[in-house]
Amino acid sequence: MTARAYGDGRVILRGSVYHYDFWLEGKNYRGSAKTGDRDAAERYLARERERAHKVDYLAPRTKTVTLETLREIVAADYKRKENKSLRRVAECYARLADVFSRVKATQITTERLERYTAGRIDEKAKPATINYELALLRRGFRLAVRNKRLPQAAIPFFPMLAVNNVRTGFIDAADFDALIAELRTKRPVIADACEFAYATLARRENTLGAQWTWFDLDIVKGQVVGGCVRIPGVETKNGSPLDIPLGPAVLPVIQRRWVERIPECPYVFHRQGKRITHFKQRWSAACEAIGFPGLLFHDFRRSGARNLRRAGVPETVIMAMGGWKTRAMFIRYGIVDTEELSDAQAQLATFLVAARAKGRKVVSARL
């Protein structure tokens, strides 16, 4: 037998059929040569090595990549990055499995994805939800290509839906005070959590999950007179830590929670020493009572941002306070509402009246 150079691979007889095995760029390729003749197996190996150098090469192992394989790859990537949305990966891939569970990854085409999208629309799924499912599937494909489990050509075109993701829902200060009054009679701690979120722009999970270790407080004679809260990067949506000074609007809240703290409980907002996770019944009743059915806790975030903008705080400062990294993300919150647009029209009308009152400026022509 003629010796081959290192890395050229080998053929191995297993039973009555030869199999090949070789490496290329750190990737191992192996499979059946589909013959019991050694010379024919050697030629098969040579052809596979030559094909493996091509971009669109589809190795035999590639044909075993399934939807479950893609899910495992995505889940492993999420765990490595400590992404908090790992549960949603399982949920979305379970939904995708309803259609693609018996399909190889290389058989998931754009046409099949379009049929999947149409089916989800018929099920009344929201466009943003459908896009999220498709995006996770596309991520699986891209990671499989990066891991050399699939060729680049195997990634289909993903038909994403148009989504109007501008946020809506505001509550002004007077209405907010009415809501707090309703909540404080039944659940004072929920009222405190709402006040904290309204003043700091903190998300619901960061508010209810706030721990005393995040706070650096200035305490004088048992009274909280200043300080700041630093939300760790592992807890924020964008992965970056968020520093929020505690001003006059939120200090009374922290003072009340400081008095109500329990040494063995790490949470600022707690119910008998345990973290608060839900309060739907009390919330719905309070919102109904003030005439705001359908109000979301998250509406405090956009309302607080609008309050800051109305107070004259620069957008860059509001973005830093709320953790918005780009202006596009900030704009999605629709901080400018119809009332402000109406005010702008009124201001324009006043300006035009004053401008017309000045009359025309006559400029003499020079000869």
Side-chain angles (χ1 to χ4, degrees):
M1 181 181 66
T2 305
R4 291 193 300 274
Y6 177 77
D8 281 355
R10 60 177 179 167
V11 293
I12 310 164
L13 183 63
R14 293 177 179 168
S16 60
V17 177
Y18 278 96
H19 287 68
Y20 67 88
D21 184 350
F22 69 94
W23 289 80
L24 177 65
E25 298 179 353
K27 175 72 175 178
N28 182 228
Y29 298 89
R30 61 177 63 178
S32 172
K34 304 176 183 178
T35 179
D37 181 86
R38 185 178 185 86
D39 291 337
E42 293 280 0
R43 291 192 295 271
Y44 192 97
L45 167 64
R47 288 196 301 271
E48 288 297 309
R49 286 202 312 270
E50 183 178 351
R51 291 175 58 211
H53 285 84
K54 298 179 180 179
V55 176
D56 60 349
Y57 174 67
L58 202 62
R61 288 181 63 191
T62 297
K63 300 175 184 178
T64 65
V65 176
T66 63
L67 183 74
E68 178 61 18
T69 308
L70 300 181
R71 185 198 66 77
E72 292 173 352
I73 293 174
V74 173
D77 185 62
Y78 269 50
K79 288 180 180 178
R80 181 178 62 82
K81 294 181 177 180
E82 297 183 347
N83 192 303
K84 297 187 286 294
S85 301
L86 185 59
R87 179 178 58 83
R88 291 200 66 186
V89 172
E91 292 174 351
C92 289
Y93 268 87
R95 173 65 65 179
L96 290 162
D98 291 341
V99 176
F100 301 117
S101 62
R102 300 179 182 275
V103 179
K104 304 297 184 185
T106 53
Q107 296 173 324
I108 299 178
T109 62
T110 299
E111 182 182 358
R112 283 184 165 179
L113 291 172
E114 288 174 342
R115 290 203 298 269
Y116 173 82
T117 299
R120 293 290 284 129
I121 292 175
D122 290 341
E123 294 171 354
K124 307 300 181 183
K126 294 181 179 180
T129 300
I130 299 172
N131 282 352
Y132 191 85
E133 293 164 359
L134 293 177
L136 278 178
L137 179 58
R138 181 173 59 190
R139 183 174 181 81
F141 271 96
R142 290 176 174 173
L143 288 172
V145 170
R146 183 190 304 175
N147 297 342
K148 299 186 183 299
R149 299 291 299 275
L150 287 174
Q152 182 70 36
I155 302 180
F157 171 77
F158 283 79
M160 311 301 279
L161 299 175
V163 177
N164 179 12
N165 57 5
V166 175
R167 311 303 197 222
T168 59
F170 295 95
I171 182 168
D172 287 321
D175 295 316
F176 177 76
D177 290 343
L179 175 66
I180 294 302
E182 283 288 333
L183 289 170
R184 196 167 295 285
T185 59
K186 302 291 179 60
R187 286 287 186 270
V189 63
I190 302 302
D192 284 343
C194 292
E195 286 194 72
F196 179 84
Y198 196 67
T200 64
L201 315 188
R203 291 184 170 85
R204 176 188 171 110
E205 59 269 27
N206 292 150
T207 298
L208 299 182
Q211 301 182 34
W212 286 115
T213 53
W214 301 359
F215 288 77
D216 182 12
L217 301 177
D218 299 327
I219 301 176
V220 178
K221 296 181 179 180
Q223 297 292 313
V224 179
V225 298
C228 68
V229 56
R230 181 180 178 83
I231 303 176
V234 294
E235 301 291 342
T236 62
K237 188 175 181 179
N238 62 21
S240 299
L242 189 60
D243 293 303
I244 306 174
L246 302 177
V250 74
L251 279 176
V253 175
I254 302 304
Q255 173 62 35
R256 288 194 294 271
R257 301 319 308 160
W258 181 255
V259 173
E260 296 292 331
R261 75 190 186 282
I262 297 178
E264 58 271 19
C265 176
Y267 298 108
V268 177
F269 304 99
H270 62 87
R271 184 182 291 133
Q272 297 178 346
K274 295 183 179 181
R275 177 176 176 172
I276 298 172
T277 57
H278 61 277
F279 44 89
K280 185 176 181 180
Q281 186 175 357
R282 296 294 184 192
W283 173 264
S284 298
C287 292
E288 287 280 354
I290 67 167
F292 273 73
L295 183 72
L296 302 176
F297 192 95
H298 198 72
D299 291 335
F300 295 152
R301 181 168 164 81
R302 59 181 131 265
S303 298
R306 187 182 66 173
N307 290 341
L308 289 168
R309 202 186 67 79
R310 285 177 168 178
V313 178
E315 282 190 3
T316 52
V317 177
I318 302 173
M319 289 169 59
M321 186 173 176
W324 292 290
K325 287 189 174 182
T326 67
R327 193 168 186 276
M329 295 170 63
F330 181 70
I331 290 174
R332 281 176 55 187
Y333 274 71
I335 304 305
V336 179
D337 63 3
T338 54
E339 181 181 342
E340 291 182 289
L341 295 176
S342 297
D343 292 342
Q345 289 295 320
Q347 292 172 9
L348 174 61
T350 302
F351 168 80
L352 292 176
V353 170
R356 291 185 177 108
K358 292 181 179 180
R360 297 181 63 200
K361 290 184 178 180
V362 180
V363 180
S364 59
R366 295 182 179 180
L367 301 177

